[in-house]
Amino acid sequence: MHRAAVLALIVVGCGGGGERATRPPPLAVATAVDGGVDSADAGPVLDAAEVVIAPPDAAVPDAPLAAIVDWPVPWPPVRERLMLEYRRLHSDPAATDLTIEPRMIVLHYTGGHSAKGTHGYFSRTRIEDERATLRKGGEANVVSHFVIDRDGTIFRLIPETRMGRHAIGVNHTAIGVENVGDEDRYPLTDAQLASNIALVRDLAARFPIEKLVGHHEIAGLRGTPWYVERVRGYKNAKGDPGKRFMAAVRAGLGDSPLAAPP
């Protein structure tokens, strides 16, 4: 992605007021050629190097700057059952399905350098035994709704209205957005910044989004109505995506209500 194009998108994203009528139209949606067979309450995930999955051909240089590419992770009946068990245990004992009304967006980073590896990891049905603390909270594997690659390509992994497991305490109401990279080895890129701004605006135009937070900011929501966790002592503290990245995203949102820190 050319830097000029990135800057142009940021300028467009900053303009206008915060009212719904002035928001840009929803992002274009492309369909991946191959759905293909890694945060999560867990935070950054490592690349699953053993999983070899070719990314969709839709991620090409001439693709629209702010397109959403559908690249769904496998969702067999057993995964549906495990996620429903997770929801009943942690947020809603009476839940009969995984449908949510998104009111929050949580930004993350993966800690790795590969969208393919992240997709491969999220494609697993169950959390691995090595993540013993998380596994105590349920067998269902972690997954975010979106992954944004280092070139700014936005991949949708699960529908926005399906509950994912990406942030303890807010999964019942939050859309999770992973960014491939971290703050040290693979710093998040200008292209990712532009795509996060565009995606936040798009989601806010389609859903009643009231709050934008970084994963590292969720601990500050404990004790508020936003945070629901029924299992005593089940919590964590994460550092992603970091203060600098969140400040840059909020600056790009201009006078949107979502630009205010939590």
Side-chain angles (χ1 to χ4, degrees):
M1 178 181 297
H2 296 295
R3 185 176 182 84
V6 173
L7 293 177
L9 179 57
I10 293 177
V11 169
V12 171
C14 290
E19 297 299 322
R20 182 173 300 272
T22 64
R23 289 178 176 136
L27 305 182
V29 178
T31 301
V33 175
D34 265 333
V37 243
D38 84 77
S39 80
D41 340 272
V45 298
L46 300 179
D47 293 331
E50 74 277 13
V51 181
V52 180
I53 303 173
D57 294 336
V60 295
D62 294 333
L65 184 62
I68 296 175
V69 180
D70 279 312
W71 193 14
V73 297
W75 204 268
V78 64
R79 188 167 191 176
E80 181 83 5
R81 176 177 61 79
L82 292 175
M83 271 303 304
L84 184 55
E85 291 175 0
Y86 179 92
R87 183 175 195 176
R88 289 170 174 167
L89 177 65
H90 292 277
S91 61
D92 182 3
T96 59
D97 59 36
L98 298 178
T99 302
I100 65 171
E101 181 180 42
R103 293 185 176 275
M104 180 187 299
I105 301 169
V106 181
L107 304 187
H108 305 254
Y109 63 52
T110 68
H113 62 88
S114 166
K116 180 172 64 177
T118 300
H119 185 278
Y121 185 85
F122 285 165
S123 291
R124 300 173 181 178
T125 296
R126 289 178 168 86
I127 270 188
E128 66 271 33
D129 292 338
E130 290 76 13
R131 305 184 79 174
T133 300
L134 280 181
R135 196 172 175 89
K136 288 179 181 178
E139 290 186 62
N141 194 25
V142 296
V143 66
S144 283
H145 298 79
F146 294 91
V147 170
I148 299 182
D149 207 349
R150 300 186 61 72
D151 66 355
T153 304
I154 303 169
F155 295 112
R156 178 164 45 208
L157 308 187
I158 63 174
E160 294 91 331
T161 55
R162 177 189 295 167
M163 181 172 168
R165 185 180 183 181
H166 60 93
I168 290 175
V170 298
N171 290 317
H172 64 288
T173 194
I175 292 173
V177 181
E178 291 280 354
N179 287 273
V180 177
D182 57 25
E183 288 189 289
D184 301 314
R185 295 175 301 165
Y186 314 109
L188 302 183
T189 66
D190 287 349
Q192 287 173 306
L193 172 61
S195 290
N196 276 266
I197 293 167
L199 180 57
V200 167
R201 285 191 173 275
D202 173 63
L203 293 174
R206 295 189 285 120
F207 300 101
I209 303 298
E210 300 175 26
K211 192 173 289 292
L212 169 69
V213 299
H215 198 185
H216 65 285
E217 296 171 322
I218 288 177
L221 298 177
R222 293 174 192 157
T224 74
W226 289 100
Y227 191 95
V228 178
E229 179 48 68
R230 300 179 64 250
V231 177
R232 184 182 297 273
Y234 187 72
K235 59 185 178 180
N236 59 14
K238 296 298 177 180
D240 62 305
K243 294 181 180 179
R244 289 180 297 176
F245 189 73
M246 287 305 300
V249 171
R250 288 176 173 132
L253 292 172
D255 59 0
S256 165
L258 297 179

